[in-house]
């Protein structure tokens, strides 16, 4: 069942989403060679609690940490390890916050120091595909139009679109209906409606789209051990248009990059 949100609820969800945005911005300054994902997790948990939030992933379905940290060939759901990041790695950091009854949930893939240009292209294409997907979240379109747009964008660059994991509705639960695949057919699936809040989250592999799960019961890795990227925003449909509730601006501020989030007004 899809739970539509009114304007007041969407503003509360924006607050939760921005807590995640600020957490990722804080972490952006910490991601460098030598830091461990476990240290990032500890920093994030303290930061979230200082804001009055609750780490949204901690204990969810039994997950042991506040962040999912997925390094290189890990796609998503990586458990933060006490293993230092190295120059040339990439790390997807996915963070959830529960505040005032609502969840925020979004993700960014960071470069650790200097990375291979081919891997940078994977990050650039995956992030761009997130916005291509968001642009398709508009009145008259269906869920399949979002996935179609993301898939087309990424496959044109020769990358693999993960099938087994999908975006989702977001609200008082971390995962609500509908599922939002990153692949699909135009005009297929549920009709998009005002008041929907979706976590749109392309998970894109440099090589094969196939994935498998590690024995830890959580980490998903690529079938060919090539790198994978993951970017996620929380998006509400308001007056027929997508409104991005989360922002990467705190990340760009920390990294000294220009602000890049487009507005679909
Ligand atoms: Mg997420
Ligand atoms: Mg999500």
């Amino acid at each position: 069942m899809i739970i539509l949100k009114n304007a007041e609820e969407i503003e509360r969800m924006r607050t939760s989403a921005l807590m995640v945005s600020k957490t990722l911005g804080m972490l952006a300054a910490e991601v460098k060679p030598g830091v461990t994902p476990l240290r990032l997790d500890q920093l994030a948990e303290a930061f979230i609690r200082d804001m009055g939030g609750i780490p949204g992933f901690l204990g969810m379905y039994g997950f042991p940490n506040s962040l999912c940290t997925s390094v290189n060939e890990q796609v998503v759901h990586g458990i933060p390890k006490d293993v230092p990041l190295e120059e040339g790695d990439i790390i997807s950091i996915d963070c959830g916050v529960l505040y005032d009854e609502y969840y925020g949930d979004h993700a960014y893939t960071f470069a650790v120091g200097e990375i291979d240009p081919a891997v940078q292209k994977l990050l650039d294409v995956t992030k761009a595909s997130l916005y291509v997907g968001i642009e398709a979240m508009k009145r008259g379109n269906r869920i399949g139009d979002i996935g179609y747009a993301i898939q087309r964008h990424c496959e044109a660059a020769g990358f693999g679109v993960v099938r087994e994991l999908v975006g989702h509705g977001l609200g008082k639960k971390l995962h609500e209906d509908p599922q939002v695949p990153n692949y699909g057919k135009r005009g297929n699936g549920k009709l998009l409606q005002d008041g929907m809040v979706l976590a749109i989250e392309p998970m894109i592999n440099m090589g094969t789209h196939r994935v498998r799960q590690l024995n830890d019961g959580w980490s998903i890795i690529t079938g060919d051990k090539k790198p994978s990227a993951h970017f996620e925003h929380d998006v509400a449909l308001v007056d027929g248009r997508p409104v991005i509730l989360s922002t990467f601006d705190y990340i760009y501020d920390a990294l000294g990059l220009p602000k890049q989030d487009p507005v679909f007004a």
Side-chain angles (χ1 to χ4, degrees):
M1 185 186 65
I2 295 173
I3 301 170
L4 300 177
K5 282 81 181 177
N6 64 29
E8 184 251 335
E9 291 166 327
I10 288 171
E11 282 316 302
R12 287 164 69 186
M13 292 195 68
R14 187 195 299 274
T15 302
S16 303
L18 289 178
M19 286 187 171
V20 177
S21 305
K22 289 171 187 169
T23 307
L24 292 177
M26 177 277 293
L27 293 170
E30 304 291 335
V31 172
K32 52 186 84 146
V35 74
T36 69
L38 188 60
R39 174 69 182 149
L40 298 175
D41 182 72
Q42 291 161 347
L43 289 169
E45 179 172 356
F47 190 85
I48 291 165
R49 293 195 191 283
D50 277 352
M51 288 186 291
I54 297 168
F57 297 169
L58 186 62
M60 177 70 68
Y61 315 117
F63 190 76
N65 293 83
S66 297
L67 299 178
C68 294
T69 57
S70 305
V71 179
N72 296 333
E73 75 275 12
Q74 293 188 331
V75 180
V76 287
H77 299 169
I79 295 174
K81 292 273 170 25
D82 200 16
V83 177
L85 296 174
E86 294 179 16
E87 181 92 15
D89 284 344
I90 56 171
I91 179 171
S92 158
I93 302 181
D94 195 350
C95 178
V97 168
L98 173 63
Y99 179 78
D100 187 24
E101 298 189 282
Y102 285 97
Y103 281 96
D105 166 24
H106 71 104
Y108 194 92
T109 301
F110 296 89
V112 181
E114 291 287 316
I115 63 172
D116 186 318
V119 179
Q120 184 62 52
K121 185 185 172 196
L122 174 69
L123 302 190
D124 293 343
V125 168
T126 304
K127 186 161 68 176
S129 81
L130 169 59
Y131 294 108
V132 165
I134 291 170
E135 199 168 10
M137 184 181 164
K138 62 184 178 190
R139 180 176 292 150
N141 272 1
R142 293 175 178 272
I143 289 289
D145 291 299
I146 298 172
Y148 171 81
I150 293 170
Q151 180 177 18
R152 187 159 171 264
H153 187 87
C154 295
E155 290 184 348
F159 297 142
V161 177
V162 173
R163 308 291 203 270
E164 287 83 351
L165 299 132
V166 297
H168 51 93
L170 187 71
K172 290 189 177 180
K173 291 198 173 139
L174 180 60
H175 296 121
E176 295 186 355
D177 287 337
Q179 293 199 340
V180 186
N182 296 304
Y183 57 93
K185 293 200 173 108
R186 288 172 121 164
N188 262 31
K190 293 238 160 59
L191 194 63
L192 299 172
Q193 297 175 68
D194 279 356
M196 278 186 173
V197 180
L198 304 179
I200 299 178
E201 50 178 317
M203 292 159 252
I204 306 300
N205 299 344
M206 182 174 276
T208 178
H209 68 80
R210 298 194 181 283
V211 297
R212 64 187 184 85
Q213 191 171 50
L214 293 183
N215 291 333
D216 64 15
W218 283 104
S219 311
I220 305 292
I221 68 165
T222 55
D224 55 11
K225 300 279 188 78
K226 289 184 179 171
S228 181
H230 176 214
F231 291 84
E232 179 176 19
H233 266 318
D234 302 334
V235 190
L237 191 63
V238 179
D239 296 333
R241 291 274 166 195
V243 174
I244 305 176
L245 302 179
S246 44
T247 177
F248 296 147
D249 283 354
Y250 296 99
I251 294 170
Y252 299 141
D253 280 348
L255 299 180
L257 296 173
K259 294 182 171 46
Q260 302 164 34
D261 285 332
V263 176
F264 302 97

